């Protein structure tokens, strides 16, 4: 198996210059093969959505970190045909979630005791999020207003998705529980979730609450594990017929 962990745009160039034997499986962690328009035979590597396709895949495109957190927060709605026409999403990420190249905004002396928004309504992960969710519910165009925030912590993503629904909370929670039954790393929580529950693990914790018609779905992941290398290992396990959780029995920094 070959893991491609280079910057965005470099994986496709590498494969053009260096043909890989057909017997070698590939897992790419860049955005080069996530969209259908340039995916070729790459399968989108979100196990909670494509587990069986990943099992038979030779090439897998690992999802983005924000994409993973947002999709796992909204996937049950899309699968049930209940994704609202408009969803507002506010997400905050740690300093390690900003790619490989150091910048002033990723330097911890800038981020400590500080918050700032960036790429408002235009984050690069929106394309794959919209494509995945719209593919599950063709009647919805997946209008997602996403505001990403640079956090003052090192690692971890918290995403809050807000939308209106006429359905009651117990029905929504049951829908989420059914969607993630049998998936070892996505856990429904009856209590509000926080980053320390998932940092240093491959887990995604999801919590749903409601006030009147307003619904809030909160999802938390470690951007370096479930949002990157941990999910890549999870995909490798599926591709090679190993136990899905192999090598990923990691404890949270708070337990």
């Amino acid at each position: 198996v070959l893991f491609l962990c280079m910057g965005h745009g470099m994986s496709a160039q590498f494969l053009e210059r260096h043909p890989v034997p057909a017997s070698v499986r590939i897992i790419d962690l860049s955005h080069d093969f996530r969209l259908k328009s340039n995916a070729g035979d790459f399968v989108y590597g979100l196990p909670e959505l494509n587990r069986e396709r990943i099992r038979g895949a030779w090439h897998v495109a690992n999802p983005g970190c924000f994409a993973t957190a947002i999709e796992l927060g909204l996937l049950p709605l899309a699968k049930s045909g209940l994704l609202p026409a408009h969803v507002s999403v506010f997400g905050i990420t740690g300093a390690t979630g900003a790619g490989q190249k150091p910048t002033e905004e990723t330097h911890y002396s800038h981020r400590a005791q500080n918050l700032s928004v960036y790429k408002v309504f235009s984050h690069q992960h929106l394309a794959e999020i919209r494509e995945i969710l719209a593919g599950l519910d063709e009647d919805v165009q997946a209008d997602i207003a996403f505001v990403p925030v640079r956090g003052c912590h090192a690692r971890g993503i918290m995403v809050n998705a807000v939308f209106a629904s006429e359905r009651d909370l117990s029905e929504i929670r049951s829908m989420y529980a059914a969607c993630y039954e049998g998936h070892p790393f996505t856990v429904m929580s009856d209590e509000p979730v926080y980053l320390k529950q998932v940092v240093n693990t491959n887990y995604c914790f999801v919590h749903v609450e409601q006030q009147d018609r307003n619904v809030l779905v909160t999802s938390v992941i470690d951007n370096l594990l479930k949002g990157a290398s941990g999910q890549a290992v999870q995909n490798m396990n599926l591709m090679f017929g190993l136990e899905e959780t192999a090598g990923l029995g990691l404890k949270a920094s708070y337990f």
Side-chain angles (χ1 to χ4, degrees):
V1 60
L2 172 65
F3 292 91
L4 296 175
C5 307
M6 300 175 289
H8 299 310
M10 296 180 66
S11 295
Q13 294 177 21
F14 177 86
L15 292 176
E16 286 178 2
R17 295 194 304 265
H18 306 283
V20 176
S23 59
V24 176
R25 298 177 191 254
I26 300 173
I27 299 173
D28 179 41
L29 279 77
S30 78
H31 69 193
D32 291 17
F33 305 105
R34 293 173 187 164
L35 299 180
K36 293 178 181 178
S37 58
N38 52 13
D41 66 345
F42 277 77
V43 172
Y44 191 73
L46 188 69
E48 290 79 1
L49 173 65
N50 286 330
R51 177 191 271 165
E52 294 310 313
R53 290 186 63 205
I54 294 167
R55 288 189 202 277
W58 281 90
H59 300 150
V60 166
N62 224 54
C65 53
F66 261 133
T68 295
I70 294 172
E71 287 164 6
L72 292 178
L74 299 176
L75 199 61
L77 296 169
K79 277 189 169 184
S80 301
L82 299 174
L83 186 69
H86 179 79
V87 181
S88 296
V89 178
F90 172 91
I92 185 167
T93 183
T96 55
Q100 296 178 327
K101 187 177 180 180
T103 66
E104 179 182 346
E105 288 76 20
T106 58
H107 197 292
Y108 205 69
S109 62
H110 175 82
R111 294 179 77 128
Q113 310 301 316
N114 192 23
L115 291 172
S116 61
V117 299
Y118 69 107
K119 297 180 180 177
V120 176
F121 308 141
S122 62
H123 195 278
Q124 65 272 15
H125 290 174
L126 274 171
E128 63 183 280
I129 295 167
R130 288 178 174 136
E131 187 170 274
I132 290 299
L133 296 179
L136 291 168
D137 187 354
E138 296 179 356
D139 295 329
V140 175
Q141 296 304 309
D143 178 17
I144 297 173
F146 177 35
V147 178
V149 178
R150 300 183 184 96
C152 57
H153 57 291
R155 58 197 285 186
I157 283 177
M158 172 178 279
V159 162
N160 291 288
V162 178
F163 55 89
S165 177
E166 301 294 339
R167 298 175 184 274
D168 62 47
L169 182 59
S170 61
E171 182 180 358
I172 297 172
R173 284 181 171 173
S174 295
M175 183 193 314
Y176 273 72
C179 180
Y180 293 127
E181 184 179 5
H183 289 284
F185 290 114
T186 299
V187 178
M188 288 300 301
S189 173
D190 293 332
E191 301 296 327
V193 295
Y194 47 92
L195 288 182
K196 283 189 175 182
Q197 292 174 302
V198 296
V199 168
N200 197 48
T201 80
N202 195 54
Y203 283 102
C204 175
F205 280 18
V206 181
H207 174 68
V208 183
E209 56 185 274
Q210 183 181 42
Q211 182 70 41
D212 299 324
R213 294 178 64 249
N214 295 315
V215 178
L216 168 67
V217 179
T218 303
S219 52
V220 289
I221 65 169
D222 185 327
N223 54 287
L224 298 180
L225 285 166
K226 185 58 173 169
S229 61
Q231 188 150 247
V233 170
Q234 184 180 356
N235 283 323
M236 179 194 71
N237 291 340
L238 291 170
M239 294 168 79
F240 283 87
L242 304 172
E243 183 67 33
E244 188 172 351
T245 58
L248 295 169
L250 305 169
K251 288 185 177 180
S253 56
Y254 173 92
F255 55 91

